Amino acid sequence: MFFLDSIWLIPMFPLVGAAIMLFFGQRLDPQVAHGHDDHGHGDHHDSPGKKFINLICPGMVLLSFIFSAGAVYQLQGVASHSYEVVKFTWLAGLKTATLSGSLVDFTAEWGYLLDPLSSVMILVVTGVGFLIHVYSIGYMAHDGGYYRFFGYLNLFIFFMLTLVLANNYLLLFVGWEGVGLCSYLLIGFYFHKQSASNAANKAFLVNRIGDAAFVLGMLFMFSTLGTITFREIGPALAAGGFEAETAEFGVLSVMMLLFFIGATGKSAQLPLFVWLPDAMEGPTPVSALIHAATMVTAGVYMVARSSAIYVLTPQTMTIIAVVGGLTAILAATIGLVQHDIKRVLAYSTVSQLGYMFLACGVGAFWVGIFHLYTHAFFKALLFLGSGSVIHAVGGEQDMRKMGALKNKIPKTYWTMLIGAIAIAGVPGLAGFFSKDEILWQVWSTHNQGLWVLGFITAGLTAFYMFRLIYLTFHGDDRVDPNTHVHESPATMTIPLMVLAFLSIVGGWAATPAAFADIGLYNTAFEHMLEPVVAMPNAHGEGGHHDTGMEWLLMAASVGLALTGIFFAKRMFDRKRAGDAMEKRLGSWLHRILYNKYYVDEIYGALFIDGFAKGGGTALSSFDAKVIDGGVNGAGWLTRATSTVTIWWDTWIVDGSVRLMAFLIKFASYPMRMLQTGMVQNYAFFLVTGVLVILTYYLF
């Protein structure tokens, strides 16, 4: 059980890499060592220092992947389907009152839990993460801050692995906050660009809203259940006699709604989705790693991890499903009209995350994780492919300035085409299986309205993805003639090929039940997650499965996807300049979609101009007139009081003392006349007195 006992090393490897880079990287990076600016460009990509960076940082993630694969393999022989390694007790001895009024010890361990759910996550994080590290060697070769970039990437992998391997919510939250920090650092990597700095700040601030709700949810959980440790949640629910809150929005519903608000921030759902599209200001490998395959899926993972509680809160689950469905279609419509190739993919990510929450909201938690797993492959592929395109055309990201690249960068084209087919839901590729299962689960739980949202989103997804393909690779050559278009190096194209392969075969781990008719039904993924993820709808109501209806719905969704691809080809695979969407949609609708439903403007008016500026002005006035007025008034009163006090002290207190001294001095004058201290005077007075007495008695 070497690998199982060593699961704590899985996050430690990238932490070591991050420490080497962030503490000693400046000595290794020739760009910095030669005195060049940290965000400039250089030609030292073959230096020994960079070769060492290229070895250490991807190598640490590769070690994590090897240990992850070994641990997952050994886990198959564990009857309980879980293995826990506790390194030490992190927090202990804190007394906390629960809702019942009893005092309990608040404890939290620094421990790691490997089970089927965390197994999926660590393989995705380390596997896709390693490919992205390799890709970054080529993509970032001429960028300054090379050591800093890889240090941030390794640090991100450490925190993400801590998040998914944690055995309790508090340690999960450490990873949760850590990936938020790394996201801020990586989005703002090009810190000399104001837009990148603004995007990093926006991501950080928006995520803090969700994180605050997460913290409240954890506190609520401990006060309700007396624990925040995953393995103790089930027994605590049973001991507390908690039942499904179908009639009211009870304690558990409030608690899990707070957790979901946290997830909306991290996973970019309504109303906190606005940070993710702006996050495209970071380098493209960052977009692939953080905003496609790992960080943004943390919210989905957390909801699935909490499924045992969520199934007791049907009203909260309804909110999750509705938010997921609305986010999916909202982001898909915005993606129809974007011109920046990375922004199209960013809104696609928001939309696909909505799909995952839609699945979780109807109780199909394992399907949400399944789509997370397949999405990691084809979305990382598409983001890295877009980076290869940007690399080929000299940094241009506007698709209206591309075109006819198919034969100039064929490896990038064919791999991106596979990714587009996969996300469009064409049968046989990964996206088809997970998308179809989501739609089927939504339909089978009698949420037809939400099914319509998911169904339309599927068609829109196929359309905007092939709009991207045709605008970028087909039609007229609109690339700047001064640009030397070239295929990316092997360090970039090989990861694309691996991800393309995974985008083809990855979905076969869970095929539709209807495929039993053709002998291709596979439930391996579902059965793997069954011990740790609640499955209230796993087999349909009463165990009955309507195969005919599933085939019909499958055919409808595939037909809609093919229709979307067809219209994309008709509109964009031709000799034309630029984008035809404004003409097709009409100027007013195009303007609304292009401006993202003016959500940023609304938030700006409400929270920046309204709350920040208006509220700031009001607070400034309150501070000046009330706070400062109070302070100034207190100062004036103190001065006035001190004037009276000085007069009283000078004339009454000191005067009384001086008067008493004068009276004593005056009264003591006769005595002082007699008490001279001279012996001869005292003898004279003595003799004189004796003579006076004798005279009196004699005469």
Side-chain angles (χ1 to χ4, degrees), residues 666-680:
F666 179 79
S668 68
Y669 183 77
M671 296 300 294
R672 287 192 292 114
M673 293 295 292
L674 298 175
Q675 298 295 330
T676 63
M678 298 177 68
V679 176
Q680 58 269 36

Side-chain angles (χ1 to χ4, degrees), residues 219-290:
L219 295 174
F220 212 159
M221 172 178 284
F222 187 81
S223 65
T224 304
L225 302 178
T227 184
I228 55 171
T229 301
F230 298 147
R231 69 176 185 276
E232 297 174 356
I233 295 295
L237 290 170
F242 291 98
E243 297 180 352
E245 297 176 343
T246 55
E248 61 180 1
F249 203 82
V251 174
L252 294 181
S253 297
V254 173
M255 179 175 74
M256 301 320 293
L257 181 60
L258 288 170
F259 274 100
F260 176 61
I261 294 172
T264 62
K266 195 65 71 184
S267 295
Q269 297 295 285
L270 280 171
L272 301 178
F273 71 95
V274 293
W275 67 270
L276 193 144
D278 289 358
M280 298 303 106
E281 290 290 341
T284 300
V286 174
S287 304
L289 179 64
I290 297 182

